Amino acid sequence: MSNYIVPLPSSLECLPNEILLEIFGYIQVHDRLRAFYNLNNRLNCILFASNVHLYILYPDDIQKSKINENILLHLIKSERYISRLRLIDDKSILNQKFIRFSFIRSLIVDIPTTKLISMITPELFSRLEYIHTGYSSAKINLDTLHRDIFSNGFPLLKKCSLNNISINQQWTGSPSIKILSVWSDNPRIVVERILHALTHLISFHLYLNWLPTHDILDNQIISQHSYLKCLKLHLYGLWTLEKLDSFLAYIPTITFLSLYSSYFDSHMISFQWDFKELAYIFKCRLPNLCRFNCEFIIKNQSKIDLKEIYSLHSCFHRINYEKYSDNELFIKIFTNK
């Protein structure tokens, strides 16, 4: 048997391109430029071979380091290496005219304005895969943007984070969206419009405020959703277990469920969590449930028997509680990690 050992490459440049691309993927863009840029033509070509391996976040990456400012600006102006864009306000739009929006895959709009929203069109952002919009005032018209999002106007879009939903236009559905985070104060709209439009939604992060004007959902709004697996639900307003039951009836495929309520919500802090009834709802509505997380801040009105709770459902074994205030007026019910 031969004991010959293949010698390792004596320098970085001896490595094949595929290995160098893998290495560069673990190095921040500024460190990459400082260490390898302009050493030779081969390394330059590998550094910027594909925007899969180089993500320049404008304007953050420009502002972080003066050393590479000229290099990055040159790349952004002349090449297609910018894949992520963050717009803080519309004052800097003039400075961003040189950006080729068609190559951007990730878009964050911190403070939506009429000018910014009007820019976000399928024609300009044809490769968009992720969009996040922050809080906007009621004066900002989001109808067209939400129509494009929920009507497959961005056919590559996979993930959305939207602060509120405008429903003044009809939607035709968007099967590409798999992950959604949204705030709403209308449970019927969530079921009738959002779940109906996103037939292949897998993960849903929902902030839902149940107003006094909304009653329990009836059972004939739409057909049951057949793809949704993960739901993180933040409860606000006038929820009851009956209302929760009517909502969960539309998403029977859930396997991971998280429920949260806020200490600052005067309605939810007085909510009475009957875990026996909750277990019954889970068994009837969510037959595939395998993990349950929760965090509630409620008034300390009755003794909690953890052993009894654990016996009610297989997903309740991680539930715990602790006092939330020194005077023990409030307790926190939560799940251990």
Side-chain angles (χ1 to χ4, degrees):
M1 180 181 293
S2 174
N3 292 325
Y4 176 74
I5 299 175
V6 178
L8 295 175
S10 58
S11 67
L12 193 68
E13 290 179 282
C14 295
L15 295 173
N17 292 353
E18 293 79 7
I19 300 298
L20 290 175
L21 282 170
E22 183 71 19
I23 293 172
F24 291 159
Y26 292 96
I27 305 174
Q28 294 294 325
V29 61
H30 294 104
D31 296 330
R32 233 182 301 175
L33 291 172
R34 184 162 38 231
F36 300 105
Y37 183 66
N38 262 352
L39 291 180
N40 56 53
N41 289 334
R42 178 182 174 236
L43 285 178
N44 278 355
C45 290
I46 296 172
L47 273 174
F48 311 125
S50 168
N51 59 359
V52 172
H53 302 283
L54 174 63
Y55 292 94
I56 297 175
L57 178 58
Y58 184 87
D60 291 11
D61 283 337
I62 301 300
Q63 298 169 345
K64 285 179 183 177
S65 172
K66 289 293 182 181
I67 298 175
N68 298 307
E69 180 176 350
N70 292 333
I71 299 174
L72 289 172
L73 284 174
H74 171 73
L75 289 170
I76 293 174
K77 289 179 181 179
S78 61
E79 303 292 346
R80 65 179 190 177
Y81 299 120
I82 178 166
S83 295
R84 297 180 291 164
L85 178 66
R86 184 170 188 170
L87 299 173
I88 300 173
D89 52 45
D90 57 16
K91 296 178 182 178
S92 56
I93 288 180
L94 291 176
N95 298 327
Q96 297 160 4
K97 283 186 175 179
F98 55 79
I99 297 175
R100 300 185 183 185
F101 292 113
S102 60
F103 294 106
I104 290 172
R105 300 177 182 180
S106 172
L107 176 64
I108 297 175
V109 181
D110 288 327
I111 304 175
T113 64
T114 300
K115 193 172 184 180
L116 286 177
I117 294 302
S118 66
M119 290 172 53
I120 309 173
T121 64
E123 292 75 24
L124 285 179
F125 294 88
S126 58
R127 301 186 186 183
L128 200 61
E129 297 179 11
Y130 169 72
I131 184 171
H132 167 89
T133 59
Y135 175 78
S136 61
S137 69
K139 298 179 180 179
I140 307 301
N141 190 332
L142 300 172
D143 291 350
T144 302
L145 175 61
H146 289 164
R147 181 204 62 196
D148 290 337
I149 289 175
F150 293 104
S151 299
N152 209 33
F154 304 96
L156 301 180
L157 193 62
K158 298 180 178 66
K159 183 178 180 180
C160 303
S161 179
L162 309 173
N163 189 270
N164 49 1
I165 293 294
S166 175
I167 58 169
N168 295 325
Q169 295 192 23
Q170 291 299 315
W171 305 338
T172 59
S174 183
S176 66
I177 297 177
K178 301 294 191 295
I179 302 173
L180 177 68
S181 175
V182 71
W183 179 92
S184 177
D185 60 4
N186 190 327
R188 186 179 181 91
I189 291 303
V190 172
V191 172
E192 188 175 44
R193 299 295 297 274
I194 296 177
L195 291 179
H196 183 63
L198 306 184
T199 54
H200 288 72
L201 187 67
I202 295 175
S203 179
F204 195 9
H205 196 167
L206 176 61
Y207 299 79
L208 185 52
N209 183 20
W210 205 297
L211 299 176
T213 52
H214 299 298
D215 204 350
I216 296 172
L217 296 172
D218 61 63
N219 59 4
Q220 296 179 343
I221 300 176
I222 63 168
S223 300
Q224 291 179 321
H225 200 281
S226 59
Y227 272 80
L228 193 62
K229 301 297 183 185
C230 177
L231 174 66
K232 292 183 179 180
L233 179 58
H234 294 255
L235 309 169
Y236 300 92
L238 296 173
W239 281 85
T240 64
L241 287 177
E242 290 78 14
K243 291 175 180 177
L244 179 63
D245 176 65
S246 70
F247 182 76
L248 294 180
Y250 285 97
I251 46 177
T253 53
I254 291 293
T255 56
F256 298 92
L257 174 65
S258 300
L259 298 179
Y260 305 98
S261 67
S262 172
Y263 172 76
F264 300 101
D265 189 318
S266 59
H267 297 292
M268 290 307 303
I269 208 167
S270 300
F271 191 94
Q272 292 296 307
W273 286 98
D274 184 336
F275 283 95
K276 185 175 182 179
E277 185 176 350
L278 186 64
Y280 180 75
I281 292 172
F282 286 177
K283 290 175 182 178
C284 293
R285 301 301 189 187
L286 308 178
N288 301 317
L289 187 66
C290 61
R291 188 173 181 87
F292 172 64
N293 297 318
C294 68
E295 184 172 309
F296 315 126
I297 310 297
I298 60 174
K299 290 181 179 179
N300 189 8
Q301 297 176 336
S302 60
K303 185 177 179 180
I304 296 178
D305 187 340
L306 290 179
K307 288 185 177 181
E308 181 183 357
I309 291 176
Y310 296 159
S311 68
L312 297 174
H313 196 284
S314 60
C315 289
F316 285 175
H317 67 278
R318 295 165 42 250
I319 292 177
N320 207 338
Y321 75 97
E322 63 185 16
K323 66 177 184 178
Y324 190 73
S325 57
D326 293 336
N327 55 14
E328 298 189 7
L329 289 177
F330 300 97
I331 59 172
K332 180 172 77 170
I333 300 176
F334 60 96
T335 45
N336 294 316
K337 294 182 179 179

